């Protein structure tokens, strides 16, 4: 199975219009990361069941929350982080964790849809 570069770019460009991104290079950075994954892992994605890929995506959503709490705890003990910066950093990390929670919710919805549609196709 070959990756559909046009579909990838379309999905990422659309995502960049829905949510604020760190600049126009965001879709390119994502595709570069996927390319690196391909160099390291081959085309494993093409033979992995959709539900397993969604599970992997869910793990990444949980990581947003987990890394946020760890980063805030580390920053709060870092003598090089002034109190005013810590407050702003805490606000941003809270937002990142919230995005992880939202992503987790969406992954659960996607998994339920994939499960239901697959079951309906297999057992009409």
């Amino acid at each position: 199975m070959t990756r559909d570069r046009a579909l990838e770019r379309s999905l990422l460009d659309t995502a960049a219009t829905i949510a604020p991104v760190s600049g126009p290079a965001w879709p390119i950075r994502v595709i570069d990361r996927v390319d690196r994954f391909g160099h390291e892992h081959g085309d494993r994605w093409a033979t992995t069941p959709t539900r397993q890929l969604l599970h992997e995506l869910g793990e990444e959503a949980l990581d947003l929350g987990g890394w946020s709490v760890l980063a805030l705890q580390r920053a709060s003990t870092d003598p090089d982080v002034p109190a005013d910066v810590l407050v702003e950093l805490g606000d941003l990390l809270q937002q990142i964790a919230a995005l992880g929670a939202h992503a987790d919710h969406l992954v659960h919805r996607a998994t339920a849809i994939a499960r239901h549609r697959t079951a309906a196709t297999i057992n009409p």
Side-chain angles (χ1 to χ4, degrees), residues 1-3 5 7-8 16 19-20 24-25 27 29 33 35 42 45 56-57 64 68-69 73-74 76 79 83 88 117:
M1 181 175 191
T2 308
R3 285 176 48 203
R5 299 291 183 143
L7 179 132
E8 291 175 3
R29 290 176 30 231
R33 185 166 171 83
D35 288 343
W45 68 272
E56 294 289 335
L57 192 55
L64 287 172
S68 294
V69 298
Q73 290 177 71
R74 176 61 185 110
S76 68
E88 186 175 4
R117 300 286 193 256

PDB file of all heavy atoms in Angstrom, residues 1-3 5 7-8 16 19-20 24-25 27 29 33 35 42 45 56-57 64 68-69 73-74 76 79 83 88 117:
ATOM      1  N   MET A   1       0.854  -1.181   0.000  1.00  0.00           N
ATOM      2  CA  MET A   1       0.000   0.000   0.000  1.00  0.00           C
ATOM      3  C   MET A   1       0.895   1.237   0.000  1.00  0.00           C
ATOM      4  O   MET A   1       1.832   1.330   0.780  1.00  0.00           O
ATOM      5  CB  MET A   1      -0.894  -0.042   1.238  1.00  0.00           C
ATOM      6  CG  MET A   1      -1.844   1.092   1.345  1.00  0.00           C
ATOM      7  SD  MET A   1      -2.935   0.816   2.780  1.00  0.00           S
ATOM      8  CE  MET A   1      -4.115   2.064   2.491  1.00  0.00           C
ATOM      9  N   THR A   2       0.578   2.174  -0.831  1.00  0.00           N
ATOM     10  CA  THR A   2       1.364   3.394  -0.961  1.00  0.00           C
ATOM     11  C   THR A   2       0.651   4.546  -0.256  1.00  0.00           C
ATOM     12  O   THR A   2      -0.576   4.644  -0.312  1.00  0.00           O
ATOM     13  CB  THR A   2       1.537   3.765  -2.454  1.00  0.00           C
ATOM     14  OG1 THR A   2       2.037   2.624  -3.143  1.00  0.00           O
ATOM     15  CG2 THR A   2       2.470   4.923  -2.628  1.00  0.00           C
ATOM     16  N   ARG A   3       1.427   5.380   0.399  1.00  0.00           N
ATOM     17  CA  ARG A   3       0.838   6.551   1.059  1.00  0.00           C
ATOM     18  C   ARG A   3       0.272   7.500   0.014  1.00  0.00           C
ATOM     19  O   ARG A   3       0.851   7.703  -1.044  1.00  0.00           O
ATOM     20  CB  ARG A   3       1.906   7.266   1.878  1.00  0.00           C
ATOM     21  CG  ARG A   3       2.231   6.524   3.168  1.00  0.00           C
ATOM     22  CD  ARG A   3       3.360   7.152   3.947  1.00  0.00           C
ATOM     23  NE  ARG A   3       3.237   8.580   4.113  1.00  0.00           N
ATOM     24  CZ  ARG A   3       4.283   9.387   4.350  1.00  0.00           C
ATOM     25  NH1 ARG A   3       5.498   8.893   4.465  1.00  0.00           N
ATOM     26  NH2 ARG A   3       4.110  10.689   4.494  1.00  0.00           N
ATOM     27  N   ARG A   5      -0.067  11.018  -0.706  1.00  0.00           N
ATOM     28  CA  ARG A   5       0.493  12.310  -0.289  1.00  0.00           C
ATOM     29  C   ARG A   5      -0.527  13.442  -0.415  1.00  0.00           C
ATOM     30  O   ARG A   5      -0.539  14.353   0.411  1.00  0.00           O
ATOM     31  CB  ARG A   5       1.746  12.638  -1.107  1.00  0.00           C
ATOM     32  CG  ARG A   5       2.874  11.646  -0.972  1.00  0.00           C
ATOM     33  CD  ARG A   5       3.464  11.725   0.402  1.00  0.00           C
ATOM     34  NE  ARG A   5       4.591  10.829   0.556  1.00  0.00           N
ATOM     35  CZ  ARG A   5       5.668  11.091   1.234  1.00  0.00           C
ATOM     36  NH1 ARG A   5       5.787  12.238   1.874  1.00  0.00           N
ATOM     37  NH2 ARG A   5       6.627  10.202   1.351  1.00  0.00           N
ATOM     38  N   LEU A   7      -3.815  13.222  -0.036  1.00  0.00           N
ATOM     39  CA  LEU A   7      -4.738  13.089   1.091  1.00  0.00           C
ATOM     40  C   LEU A   7      -4.075  13.578   2.377  1.00  0.00           C
ATOM     41  O   LEU A   7      -4.691  14.309   3.154  1.00  0.00           O
ATOM     42  CB  LEU A   7      -5.179  11.634   1.252  1.00  0.00           C
ATOM     43  CG  LEU A   7      -6.130  11.396   2.415  1.00  0.00           C
ATOM     44  CD1 LEU A   7      -7.317  10.560   1.962  1.00  0.00           C
ATOM     45  CD2 LEU A   7      -5.412  10.735   3.565  1.00  0.00           C
ATOM     46  N   GLU A   8      -2.829  13.194   2.593  1.00  0.00           N
ATOM     47  CA  GLU A   8      -2.101  13.632   3.790  1.00  0.00           C
ATOM     48  C   GLU A   8      -2.063  15.151   3.860  1.00  0.00           C
ATOM     49  O   GLU A   8      -2.372  15.755   4.883  1.00  0.00           O
ATOM     50  CB  GLU A   8      -0.674  13.081   3.777  1.00  0.00           C
ATOM     51  CG  GLU A   8      -0.588  11.592   3.977  1.00  0.00           C
ATOM     52  CD  GLU A   8       0.831  11.055   3.843  1.00  0.00           C
ATOM     53  OE1 GLU A   8       1.778  11.846   3.639  1.00  0.00           O
ATOM     54  OE2 GLU A   8       0.999   9.818   3.960  1.00  0.00           O
ATOM     55  N   ALA A  16      -4.873  22.607   9.916  1.00  0.00           N
ATOM     56  CA  ALA A  16      -4.191  23.866  10.227  1.00  0.00           C
ATOM     57  C   ALA A  16      -5.122  25.066  10.133  1.00  0.00           C
ATOM     58  O   ALA A  16      -4.860  26.107  10.741  1.00  0.00           O
ATOM     59  CB  ALA A  16      -2.993  24.050   9.296  1.00  0.00           C
ATOM     60  N   ALA A  19      -7.468  24.766  13.717  1.00  0.00           N
ATOM     61  CA  ALA A  19      -6.813  25.081  14.989  1.00  0.00           C
ATOM     62  C   ALA A  19      -5.595  25.957  14.725  1.00  0.00           C
ATOM     63  O   ALA A  19      -4.983  25.857  13.659  1.00  0.00           O
ATOM     64  CB  ALA A  19      -6.378  23.791  15.685  1.00  0.00           C
ATOM     65  N   PRO A  20      -5.245  26.809  15.679  1.00  0.00           N
ATOM     66  CA  PRO A  20      -4.038  27.605  15.501  1.00  0.00           C
ATOM     67  C   PRO A  20      -2.820  26.683  15.408  1.00  0.00           C
ATOM     68  O   PRO A  20      -2.740  25.689  16.120  1.00  0.00           O
ATOM     69  CB  PRO A  20      -3.956  28.460  16.761  1.00  0.00           C
ATOM     70  CG  PRO A  20      -5.139  28.132  17.587  1.00  0.00           C
ATOM     71  CD  PRO A  20      -5.901  27.027  16.945  1.00  0.00           C
ATOM     72  N   PRO A  24       2.993  28.157   8.941  1.00  0.00           N
ATOM     73  CA  PRO A  24       2.612  27.409   7.741  1.00  0.00           C
ATOM     74  C   PRO A  24       3.417  26.125   7.540  1.00  0.00           C
ATOM     75  O   PRO A  24       3.030  25.261   6.772  1.00  0.00           O
ATOM     76  CB  PRO A  24       2.869  28.399   6.606  1.00  0.00           C
ATOM     77  CG  PRO A  24       3.813  29.407   7.159  1.00  0.00           C
ATOM     78  CD  PRO A  24       3.574  29.450   8.636  1.00  0.00           C
ATOM     79  N   ALA A  25       4.513  25.987   8.256  1.00  0.00           N
ATOM     80  CA  ALA A  25       5.339  24.790   8.104  1.00  0.00           C
ATOM     81  C   ALA A  25       4.793  23.597   8.887  1.00  0.00           C
ATOM     82  O   ALA A  25       5.312  22.490   8.757  1.00  0.00           O
ATOM     83  CB  ALA A  25       6.772  25.092   8.544  1.00  0.00           C
ATOM     84  N   PRO A  27       2.128  21.532   8.603  1.00  0.00           N
ATOM     85  CA  PRO A  27       1.856  20.317   7.822  1.00  0.00           C
ATOM     86  C   PRO A  27       3.133  19.672   7.277  1.00  0.00           C
ATOM     87  O   PRO A  27       3.256  18.447   7.266  1.00  0.00           O
ATOM     88  CB  PRO A  27       0.962  20.806   6.675  1.00  0.00           C
ATOM     89  CG  PRO A  27       0.336  22.056   7.193  1.00  0.00           C
ATOM     90  CD  PRO A  27       1.389  22.680   8.080  1.00  0.00           C
ATOM     91  N   ARG A  29       6.106  19.782   8.658  1.00  0.00           N
ATOM     92  CA  ARG A  29       6.788  19.129   9.781  1.00  0.00           C
ATOM     93  C   ARG A  29       6.131  17.794  10.121  1.00  0.00           C
ATOM     94  O   ARG A  29       6.815  16.815  10.439  1.00  0.00           O
ATOM     95  CB  ARG A  29       6.814  20.050  10.995  1.00  0.00           C
ATOM     96  CG  ARG A  29       7.744  21.242  10.797  1.00  0.00           C
ATOM     97  CD  ARG A  29       7.767  22.263  11.923  1.00  0.00           C
ATOM     98  NE  ARG A  29       7.499  21.763  13.242  1.00  0.00           N
ATOM     99  CZ  ARG A  29       6.599  22.287  14.070  1.00  0.00           C
ATOM    100  NH1 ARG A  29       5.881  23.330  13.706  1.00  0.00           N
ATOM    101  NH2 ARG A  29       6.426  21.798  15.275  1.00  0.00           N
ATOM    102  N   ARG A  33       7.851  14.076   9.781  1.00  0.00           N
ATOM    103  CA  ARG A  33       7.861  13.113  10.897  1.00  0.00           C
ATOM    104  C   ARG A  33       7.334  11.760  10.437  1.00  0.00           C
ATOM    105  O   ARG A  33       7.874  10.715  10.797  1.00  0.00           O
ATOM    106  CB  ARG A  33       7.032  13.658  12.065  1.00  0.00           C
ATOM    107  CG  ARG A  33       7.085  12.794  13.307  1.00  0.00           C
ATOM    108  CD  ARG A  33       6.543  13.552  14.500  1.00  0.00           C
ATOM    109  NE  ARG A  33       6.386  12.726  15.650  1.00  0.00           N
ATOM    110  CZ  ARG A  33       7.352  12.427  16.503  1.00  0.00           C
ATOM    111  NH1 ARG A  33       8.561  12.905  16.314  1.00  0.00           N
ATOM    112  NH2 ARG A  33       7.113  11.653  17.542  1.00  0.00           N
ATOM    113  N   ASP A  35       7.448  10.647   7.415  1.00  0.00           N
ATOM    114  CA  ASP A  35       8.503  10.096   6.551  1.00  0.00           C
ATOM    115  C   ASP A  35       9.589   9.424   7.391  1.00  0.00           C
ATOM    116  O   ASP A  35      10.051   8.333   7.057  1.00  0.00           O
ATOM    117  CB  ASP A  35       9.121  11.185   5.675  1.00  0.00           C
ATOM    118  CG  ASP A  35       8.196  11.665   4.573  1.00  0.00           C
ATOM    119  OD1 ASP A  35       7.208  10.972   4.259  1.00  0.00           O
ATOM    120  OD2 ASP A  35       8.469  12.761   4.021  1.00  0.00           O
ATOM    121  N   GLY A  42       9.288   1.154   8.213  1.00  0.00           N
ATOM    122  CA  GLY A  42       8.751   0.646   6.955  1.00  0.00           C
ATOM    123  C   GLY A  42       7.281   0.991   6.792  1.00  0.00           C
ATOM    124  O   GLY A  42       6.808   2.003   7.293  1.00  0.00           O
ATOM    125  N   TRP A  45       2.369   0.493   9.030  1.00  0.00           N
ATOM    126  CA  TRP A  45       1.051   1.107   9.149  1.00  0.00           C
ATOM    127  C   TRP A  45       0.062   0.494   8.163  1.00  0.00           C
ATOM    128  O   TRP A  45      -1.126   0.380   8.455  1.00  0.00           O
ATOM    129  CB  TRP A  45       1.125   2.627   8.943  1.00  0.00           C
ATOM    130  CG  TRP A  45       1.477   2.990   7.530  1.00  0.00           C
ATOM    131  CD1 TRP A  45       2.724   3.127   7.012  1.00  0.00           C
ATOM    132  CD2 TRP A  45       0.579   3.204   6.452  1.00  0.00           C
ATOM    133  NE1 TRP A  45       2.672   3.423   5.680  1.00  0.00           N
ATOM    134  CE2 TRP A  45       1.356   3.471   5.306  1.00  0.00           C
ATOM    135  CE3 TRP A  45      -0.802   3.191   6.326  1.00  0.00           C
ATOM    136  CZ2 TRP A  45       0.797   3.730   4.057  1.00  0.00           C
ATOM    137  CZ3 TRP A  45      -1.360   3.449   5.083  1.00  0.00           C
ATOM    138  CH2 TRP A  45      -0.561   3.715   3.966  1.00  0.00           C
ATOM    139  N   GLU A  56      -3.005   3.444  18.958  1.00  0.00           N
ATOM    140  CA  GLU A  56      -1.729   4.167  19.011  1.00  0.00           C
ATOM    141  C   GLU A  56      -1.978   5.671  19.108  1.00  0.00           C
ATOM    142  O   GLU A  56      -1.304   6.378  19.863  1.00  0.00           O
ATOM    143  CB  GLU A  56      -0.878   3.861  17.770  1.00  0.00           C
ATOM    144  CG  GLU A  56      -0.410   2.427  17.665  1.00  0.00           C
ATOM    145  CD  GLU A  56       0.659   2.074  18.679  1.00  0.00           C
ATOM    146  OE1 GLU A  56       1.379   2.978  19.143  1.00  0.00           O
ATOM    147  OE2 GLU A  56       0.768   0.880  19.011  1.00  0.00           O
ATOM    148  N   LEU A  57      -2.951   6.159  18.358  1.00  0.00           N
ATOM    149  CA  LEU A  57      -3.302   7.577  18.413  1.00  0.00           C
ATOM    150  C   LEU A  57      -3.804   7.958  19.800  1.00  0.00           C
ATOM    151  O   LEU A  57      -3.467   9.017  20.328  1.00  0.00           O
ATOM    152  CB  LEU A  57      -4.364   7.863  17.353  1.00  0.00           C
ATOM    153  CG  LEU A  57      -4.691   9.292  17.019  1.00  0.00           C
ATOM    154  CD1 LEU A  57      -3.459  10.082  16.628  1.00  0.00           C
ATOM    155  CD2 LEU A  57      -5.711   9.327  15.899  1.00  0.00           C
ATOM    156  N   LEU A  64       0.036  13.666  25.747  1.00  0.00           N
ATOM    157  CA  LEU A  64      -0.081  15.126  25.870  1.00  0.00           C
ATOM    158  C   LEU A  64      -0.398  15.523  27.307  1.00  0.00           C
ATOM    159  O   LEU A  64       0.163  16.480  27.835  1.00  0.00           O
ATOM    160  CB  LEU A  64      -1.145  15.675  24.922  1.00  0.00           C
ATOM    161  CG  LEU A  64      -0.770  15.699  23.454  1.00  0.00           C
ATOM    162  CD1 LEU A  64      -1.982  16.080  22.605  1.00  0.00           C
ATOM    163  CD2 LEU A  64       0.375  16.662  23.213  1.00  0.00           C
ATOM    164  N   SER A  68       2.542  16.999  29.921  1.00  0.00           N
ATOM    165  CA  SER A  68       2.194  18.324  30.455  1.00  0.00           C
ATOM    166  C   SER A  68       2.383  18.371  31.964  1.00  0.00           C
ATOM    167  O   SER A  68       2.985  19.317  32.494  1.00  0.00           O
ATOM    168  CB  SER A  68       0.748  18.680  30.102  1.00  0.00           C
ATOM    169  OG  SER A  68       0.604  18.845  28.715  1.00  0.00           O
ATOM    170  N   VAL A  69       1.883  17.341  32.664  1.00  0.00           N
ATOM    171  CA  VAL A  69       2.020  17.368  34.122  1.00  0.00           C
ATOM    172  C   VAL A  69       3.482  17.212  34.543  1.00  0.00           C
ATOM    173  O   VAL A  69       3.922  17.837  35.513  1.00  0.00           O
ATOM    174  CB  VAL A  69       1.127  16.321  34.835  1.00  0.00           C
ATOM    175  CG1 VAL A  69      -0.338  16.583  34.573  1.00  0.00           C
ATOM    176  CG2 VAL A  69       1.480  14.901  34.442  1.00  0.00           C
ATOM    177  N   GLN A  73       5.672  20.052  36.600  1.00  0.00           N
ATOM    178  CA  GLN A  73       6.347  19.716  37.853  1.00  0.00           C
ATOM    179  C   GLN A  73       7.832  20.040  37.782  1.00  0.00           C
ATOM    180  O   GLN A  73       8.406  20.583  38.734  1.00  0.00           O
ATOM    181  CB  GLN A  73       6.151  18.231  38.176  1.00  0.00           C
ATOM    182  CG  GLN A  73       4.728  17.911  38.577  1.00  0.00           C
ATOM    183  CD  GLN A  73       4.544  16.434  38.814  1.00  0.00           C
ATOM    184  OE1 GLN A  73       5.052  15.911  39.798  1.00  0.00           O
ATOM    185  NE2 GLN A  73       3.821  15.781  37.918  1.00  0.00           N
ATOM    186  N   ARG A  74       8.450  19.746  36.662  1.00  0.00           N
ATOM    187  CA  ARG A  74       9.881  20.043  36.521  1.00  0.00           C
ATOM    188  C   ARG A  74      10.109  21.546  36.509  1.00  0.00           C
ATOM    189  O   ARG A  74      11.014  22.050  37.183  1.00  0.00           O
ATOM    190  CB  ARG A  74      10.429  19.407  35.239  1.00  0.00           C
ATOM    191  CG  ARG A  74      11.871  19.753  34.962  1.00  0.00           C
ATOM    192  CD  ARG A  74      12.774  19.249  36.101  1.00  0.00           C
ATOM    193  NE  ARG A  74      14.135  19.676  35.879  1.00  0.00           N
ATOM    194  CZ  ARG A  74      14.761  20.605  36.612  1.00  0.00           C
ATOM    195  NH1 ARG A  74      14.151  21.187  37.626  1.00  0.00           N
ATOM    196  NH2 ARG A  74      16.002  20.940  36.344  1.00  0.00           N
ATOM    197  N   SER A  76       8.358  23.804  37.871  1.00  0.00           N
ATOM    198  CA  SER A  76       8.093  24.408  39.184  1.00  0.00           C
ATOM    199  C   SER A  76       9.264  24.244  40.152  1.00  0.00           C
ATOM    200  O   SER A  76       9.341  24.945  41.150  1.00  0.00           O
ATOM    201  CB  SER A  76       6.816  23.821  39.794  1.00  0.00           C
ATOM    202  OG  SER A  76       7.009  22.467  40.132  1.00  0.00           O
ATOM    203  N   PRO A  79      15.109  26.395  39.106  1.00  0.00           N
ATOM    204  CA  PRO A  79      15.434  27.745  39.571  1.00  0.00           C
ATOM    205  C   PRO A  79      15.585  28.749  38.431  1.00  0.00           C
ATOM    206  O   PRO A  79      15.535  29.956  38.661  1.00  0.00           O
ATOM    207  CB  PRO A  79      16.763  27.561  40.326  1.00  0.00           C
ATOM    208  CG  PRO A  79      17.333  26.289  39.819  1.00  0.00           C
ATOM    209  CD  PRO A  79      16.178  25.437  39.384  1.00  0.00           C
ATOM    210  N   ALA A  83       8.839  33.025  38.483  1.00  0.00           N
ATOM    211  CA  ALA A  83       7.450  32.781  38.890  1.00  0.00           C
ATOM    212  C   ALA A  83       6.454  33.221  37.811  1.00  0.00           C
ATOM    213  O   ALA A  83       5.479  32.509  37.539  1.00  0.00           O
ATOM    214  CB  ALA A  83       7.160  33.489  40.209  1.00  0.00           C
ATOM    215  N   GLU A  88       2.587  31.523  33.271  1.00  0.00           N
ATOM    216  CA  GLU A  88       2.249  31.458  31.845  1.00  0.00           C
ATOM    217  C   GLU A  88       2.464  30.045  31.293  1.00  0.00           C
ATOM    218  O   GLU A  88       1.635  29.523  30.545  1.00  0.00           O
ATOM    219  CB  GLU A  88       3.082  32.469  31.056  1.00  0.00           C
ATOM    220  CG  GLU A  88       2.689  32.557  29.597  1.00  0.00           C
ATOM    221  CD  GLU A  88       3.445  33.646  28.856  1.00  0.00           C
ATOM    222  OE1 GLU A  88       4.326  34.303  29.438  1.00  0.00           O
ATOM    223  OE2 GLU A  88       3.151  33.821  27.665  1.00  0.00           O
ATOM    224  N   ARG A 117     -18.886   0.089  12.365  1.00  0.00           N
ATOM    225  CA  ARG A 117     -18.950  -0.056  10.909  1.00  0.00           C
ATOM    226  C   ARG A 117     -18.316  -1.369  10.463  1.00  0.00           C
ATOM    227  O   ARG A 117     -18.827  -2.029   9.585  1.00  0.00           O
ATOM    228  CB  ARG A 117     -18.265   1.116  10.209  1.00  0.00           C
ATOM    229  CG  ARG A 117     -18.867   2.466  10.510  1.00  0.00           C
ATOM    230  CD  ARG A 117     -20.189   2.664   9.797  1.00  0.00           C
ATOM    231  NE  ARG A 117     -20.578   4.049   9.855  1.00  0.00           N
ATOM    232  CZ  ARG A 117     -21.525   4.532  10.659  1.00  0.00           C
ATOM    233  NH1 ARG A 117     -22.167   3.729  11.458  1.00  0.00           N
ATOM    234  NH2 ARG A 117     -21.832   5.794  10.657  1.00  0.00           N
TER     235      ARG A 117
END
